[in-house]
Amino acid sequence: MNSSKKLIAGAAIVAALFSFSSVSAQMRDTAAMRQRQEQMMQKMQTDLALTSVQMDSLHAIQKDFQPQMRDIMMDQSMSREDKMAKMAPIREQQNKRIQAALGDDLYKKYQDWMQANRPQRGGGGGGGGR
């Protein structure tokens, strides 16, 4: 009986270590993603000569829409195509707010910049309203 208690305790410790390792890896991935996103925003600010007010607006707009988009992307019950279809109206609303914040000319430059600087992902093309 004593050895079975030790075995159970050992298994619990191993399970706890795996859980901690998984959480730790997720935290590193999230931090790396935030860092890449911040670098991209800084590059955009420089490339498009955006003011701090315009950047604050872009950050606020992104913050408003990010939870909805994240929820859709995390929904394992939907196919990729369904997720993209559900995201389309959200992106449209987001883009309208960005256009209002930047003005028509700068919004066009923003769209071109986003297209040129979009991270490349594997798989067959998907994408944008042509």
Side-chain angles (χ1 to χ4, degrees):
M1 190 100 171
N2 197 9
S3 65
S4 66
K5 286 182 181 180
K6 287 181 183 178
L7 184 61
I8 291 171
I13 290 172
V14 169
L17 288 173
F18 278 122
S19 295
F20 176 76
S21 176
S22 176
V23 168
S24 177
Q26 288 174 349
M27 290 171 61
R28 280 192 308 271
D29 290 348
T30 300
M33 185 171 57
R34 280 194 192 118
Q35 185 178 14
R36 283 190 306 271
Q37 193 173 37
E38 189 57 39
Q39 288 171 343
M40 187 172 171
M41 292 295 275
Q42 288 174 353
K43 181 176 175 9
M44 179 193 320
Q45 182 175 14
T46 301
D47 291 353
L48 299 178
L50 298 174
T51 67
S52 60
V53 171
Q54 290 166 327
M55 286 304 296
D56 289 346
S57 294
L58 289 177
H59 280 291
I61 293 166
Q62 181 183 29
K63 187 177 176 182
D64 286 348
F65 287 92
Q66 193 171 23
Q68 295 172 352
M69 297 169 117
R70 184 179 332 125
D71 288 347
I72 292 168
M73 295 310 290
M74 298 302 285
D75 187 343
Q76 298 297 318
S77 68
M78 286 193 285
S79 69
R80 184 178 190 281
E81 293 77 20
D82 290 342
K83 290 177 184 182
M84 293 300 115
K86 197 167 184 179
M87 295 260 289
I90 296 169
R91 288 190 194 276
E92 188 175 318
Q93 287 178 318
Q94 183 182 33
N95 285 333
K96 284 180 184 178
R97 285 193 43 200
I98 291 170
Q99 186 173 10
L102 298 180
D104 292 339
D105 292 339
L106 191 51
Y107 177 70
K108 173 65 176 136
K109 291 177 185 176
Y110 162 84
Q111 286 181 306
D112 293 342
W113 188 92
M114 289 297 287
Q115 189 66 33
N117 290 279
R118 178 171 289 133
Q120 298 301 313
R121 298 180 186 217
R130 291 184 192 220

